[in-house]
């Protein structure tokens, strides 16, 4: 994953509420799935395996974050387990068939979570993060990002 993409995911995570965080994790999975396919086409074995591991970590994060006090978690758990098994088959078969099956299931779930996240009006999970304002200011054709209140301290004082 490119540094700019990691930076964007980090920014989205720091400003997300619970629903938004789930959507970001799905987006991370899809980004790694794309990388796995790229590595497979280029026959880059090491990148292929590294991307699969990262994709598995994203699905594991989704599975481990389930709250079984809600009935929907009992329905999501087997789907995440299925996706993990399909990704595991990619390791020993050295192809992307399992990735295709996992992505198909997760893509269907993703659509539902995007809609649910739109309705989630709770506050962001992380407090005291810098707000980023992006827009076209004084530079033709380039995007300028500005951090609000850069002089404030976000750390601990000893």
């Amino acid at each position: 994953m490119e540094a700019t993409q990691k930076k964007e995911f980090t920014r989205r995570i720091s400003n997300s509420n619970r629903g938004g965080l789930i959507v970001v994790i799905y987006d991370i999975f899809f980004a790694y799935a794309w990388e796995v396919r790229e590595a497979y086409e280029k026959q880059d074995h090491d990148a292929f395996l590294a991307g699969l591991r990262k994709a598995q970590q994203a699905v594991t994060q989704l599975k481990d974050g389930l709250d079984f006090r809600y009935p929907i978690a009992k329905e999501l758990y087997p789907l995440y387990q299925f996706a993990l098994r399909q990704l595991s088959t990619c390791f020993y078969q050295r192809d992307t068939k399992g990735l295709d099956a996992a992505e198909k299931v997760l893509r269907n779930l993703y659509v539902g979570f995007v809609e649910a996240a739109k309705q989630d009006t709770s506050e962001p999970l992380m407090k005291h993060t810098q707000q980023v304002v992006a827009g076209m200011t004084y530079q033709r054709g380039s995007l300028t990002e500005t951090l609000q209140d850069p002089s404030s301290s976000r750390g601990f004082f000893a």
Side-chain angles (χ1 to χ4, degrees):
M1 186 177 301
E2 295 178 9
T4 56
Q5 200 172 20
K6 286 181 182 180
K7 191 175 182 181
E8 177 62 26
F9 284 136
T10 302
R11 183 177 302 126
R12 286 178 58 196
I13 288 169
S14 68
N15 293 319
S16 292
N17 55 15
R18 290 184 187 274
L21 185 60
I22 293 169
V23 172
V24 173
I25 295 171
Y26 272 98
D27 288 336
I28 290 170
F29 167 79
F30 295 131
Y32 281 120
W34 182 81
E35 283 187 11
V36 167
R37 284 194 179 85
E38 288 277 311
Y40 182 75
E41 288 175 11
K42 294 178 183 175
Q43 297 183 354
D44 185 351
H45 183 70
D46 293 335
F48 176 79
L49 295 177
L52 279 175
R53 282 188 205 93
K54 294 291 187 179
Q56 279 184 322
Q57 288 173 353
V59 177
T60 300
Q61 187 68 34
L62 290 167
K63 180 186 68 125
D64 292 347
L66 291 173
D67 186 351
F68 285 96
R69 291 180 292 173
Y70 300 100
I72 190 73
K74 293 176 183 136
E75 295 178 28
L76 290 173
Y77 186 84
L79 296 173
Y80 292 146
Q81 282 295 106
F82 171 80
L84 287 171
R85 278 194 309 274
Q86 293 301 311
L87 293 173
S88 294
T89 62
C90 293
F91 276 105
Y92 63 84
Q93 290 182 352
R94 302 289 193 251
D95 65 12
T96 59
K97 291 177 188 171
L99 179 65
D100 296 337
E103 189 172 14
K104 183 177 179 183
V105 168
L106 294 177
R107 207 46 87 188
N108 290 333
L109 294 174
Y110 174 77
V111 171
F113 277 110
V114 167
E115 289 303 314
K118 289 178 185 176
Q119 298 173 10
D120 187 355
T121 58
S122 62
E123 292 187 20
L125 294 172
M126 294 178 73
K127 306 289 184 204
H128 308 294
T129 59
Q130 288 180 326
Q131 297 298 315
V132 177
V133 179
M136 302 295 275
T137 56
Y138 302 110
Q139 296 177 5
R140 179 175 272 162
S142 67
L143 185 66
T144 303
E145 294 181 347
T146 305
L147 298 174
Q148 290 184 341
D149 195 17
S151 63
S152 69
S153 174
R154 297 184 316 175
F156 294 102
F157 291 107

